[in-house]
């Protein structure tokens, strides 16, 4: 674990995050020990380590909470995305509570907040999240198959733990987004779509595993692309997922259009 003194904890949004309607990003950590094999963040300039080392290190912004207390007034009422290059609920957060401290600092200023995570630890902070007037927790659940999850996200939490977290947050009155992003190989598209439909998420987002040719979709590793081809040789999984959503009338968003702040709900795709 490395400790660093950050210059800022709330950074003006750029690129697709800004296009999505966010004003600020907030990353309590650099690096992510969930270490997903496809993670786009390893390609971003914030990663100054070899890509092969992604998932084996993280840096803590030791002054994150102090900075958040100082900077929070400037994000009042604005859209904040937490986090863009790390997971705010990776394991170290349990002890360090930087994400929780930042939320406490933001609360009086009521930004429009989106939390993006694979970490069920987010339920620990349900008491604070429920006090934001405009908030959504996006839980990434990109497959229905635990073996696929272990192959692509070996150090991330099991899928059922994420579903349980989603249920917990929803029952606490906190809007939940379900992110099938990037969509990994799926065992049973119809059953997965049915489960997603039955949950009643505020937003459902699906994103093709590797979609750079159409201009959306971050870089991913050749290793991950090769794995996806082995599990889904025909490459038809994404279209099967969309068809299953349409069959059930699920109002889903594809890729970029699904990542928008609460209060600026875009037009989704549904049966028709
Ligand atoms: S949890 Fe998110 S930030 Fe962390 S490795 Fe996986 S995709 Fe990357």
């Amino acid at each position: 674990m490395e400790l660093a003194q950050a210059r800022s904890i709330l950074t003006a949004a750029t690129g697709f995050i800004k296009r999505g309607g966010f004003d600020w990003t907030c990353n309590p950590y650099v690096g992510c020990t969930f270490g997903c094999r496809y993670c786009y963040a390893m390609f971003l300039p914030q990663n100054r380590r070899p890509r092969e080392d992604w998932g084996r290190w993280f840096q803590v912004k030791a002054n994150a909470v102090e900075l958040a207390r100082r900077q929070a007034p400037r994000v009042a009422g604005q859209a904040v995305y937490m986090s863009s290059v790390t997971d705010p609920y990776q394991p170290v957060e349990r002890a360090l509570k930087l994400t929780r401290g930042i939320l406490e600092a933001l609360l009086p200023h009521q930004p429009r907040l989106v939390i993006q995570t694979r970490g069920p630890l987010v339920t620990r902070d349900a008491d604070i999240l429920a006090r934001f007037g405009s908030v959504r927790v996006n839980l990434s659940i990109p497959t229905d198959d635990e073996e696929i999850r272990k192959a692509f996200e070996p150090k991330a939490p099991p899928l059922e733990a994420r579903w349980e977290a989603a249920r917990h947050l929803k029952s606490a009155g906190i809007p939940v987004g379900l992110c099938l992003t990037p969509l990994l190989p799926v065992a049973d598209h119809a059953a997965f779509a049915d489960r997603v439909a039955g949950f009643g998420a505020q937003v459902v987002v699906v994103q093709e595993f590797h979609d750079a040719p159409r201009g959306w979709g971050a870089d991913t590793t050749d290793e991950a692309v090769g794995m996806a081809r082995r599990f889904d040789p025909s490459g038809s999984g994404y279209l099967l997922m969309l068809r299953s959503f349409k069959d059930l009338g699920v109002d889903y968003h594809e890729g970029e259009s699904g990542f928008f702040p609460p209060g600026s709900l875009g037009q989704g795709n549904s049966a028709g």
Side-chain angles (χ1 to χ4, degrees):
M1 177 170 86
E2 268 180 39
L3 295 180
Q5 293 293 313
R7 277 180 300 182
S8 174
I9 193 64
L10 290 154
T11 306
T14 57
F16 70 86
I17 295 177
K18 186 173 175 56
R19 285 201 304 277
F22 289 93
D23 304 297
W24 303 90
T25 59
C26 181
N27 290 282
Y29 304 98
V30 182
C32 180
T33 55
F34 284 157
C36 303
R37 293 193 166 165
Y38 52 78
C39 181
Y40 74 91
M42 75 178 89
F43 291 86
L44 299 178
Q46 289 88 343
N47 177 24
R48 299 200 176 93
R49 310 278 186 107
R51 286 177 196 155
E52 313 80 76
D53 290 348
W54 184 256
R56 299 199 185 103
W57 61 274
F58 64 93
Q59 193 181 68
V60 172
K61 296 182 182 174
N63 55 342
V65 176
E66 180 192 327
L67 284 172
R69 286 191 195 119
R70 215 179 306 149
Q71 297 179 330
R74 72 174 75 151
V75 304
Q78 298 187 48
V80 176
Y81 187 71
M82 185 175 182
S83 296
S84 57
V85 299
T86 189
D87 193 305
Y89 289 102
Q90 62 183 295
V92 68
E93 168 61 21
R94 186 177 298 280
L96 295 189
K97 299 183 179 162
L98 295 191
T99 297
R100 186 174 175 89
I102 292 168
L103 292 176
E104 286 169 342
L106 292 177
L107 186 61
H109 305 283
Q110 290 290 310
R112 293 181 291 133
L113 185 65
V114 168
I115 304 285
Q116 186 76 41
T117 187
R118 285 165 173 72
L121 181 60
V122 63
T123 58
R124 178 199 65 189
D125 295 342
D127 58 331
I128 303 177
L129 291 167
R131 292 163 61 202
F132 281 86
S134 185
V135 66
R136 185 172 72 246
V137 175
N138 278 354
L139 269 160
S140 300
I141 307 183
T143 178
D144 61 343
D145 187 329
E146 189 60 13
E147 292 308 309
I148 294 290
R149 195 280 302 163
K150 285 179 189 163
F152 285 86
E153 304 179 345
K155 295 195 290 176
L159 300 168
E160 286 308 318
R162 301 184 210 178
W163 278 108
E164 182 52 38
R167 280 191 291 273
H168 181 110
L169 294 168
K170 193 175 172 206
S171 66
I174 298 162
V176 172
L178 291 179
C179 297
L180 286 62
T181 57
L183 186 73
L184 300 178
V186 166
D188 185 334
H189 294 87
F192 191 27
D194 195 44
R195 187 172 191 181
V196 170
F199 178 79
Q202 187 186 64
V203 59
V204 173
V205 195
V206 61
Q207 180 188 326
E208 208 163 354
F209 183 74
H210 191 64
D211 193 25
R214 289 209 322 230
W216 161 255
D219 284 329
T220 191
T221 61
D222 291 342
E223 179 201 17
V225 172
M227 285 166 61
R229 284 205 188 108
R230 276 200 303 284
F231 285 113
D232 179 14
S234 68
S236 58
Y238 186 73
L239 291 178
L240 284 171
M241 198 72 237
L242 298 192
R243 190 178 306 157
S244 298
F245 280 154
K246 285 181 195 260
D247 287 348
L248 292 168
V250 176
D251 187 28
Y252 64 90
H253 292 257
E254 283 189 83
E256 191 168 1
S257 80
F259 292 92
F260 44 76
S264 51
L265 192 65
Q267 182 71 40
N269 303 271
S270 56

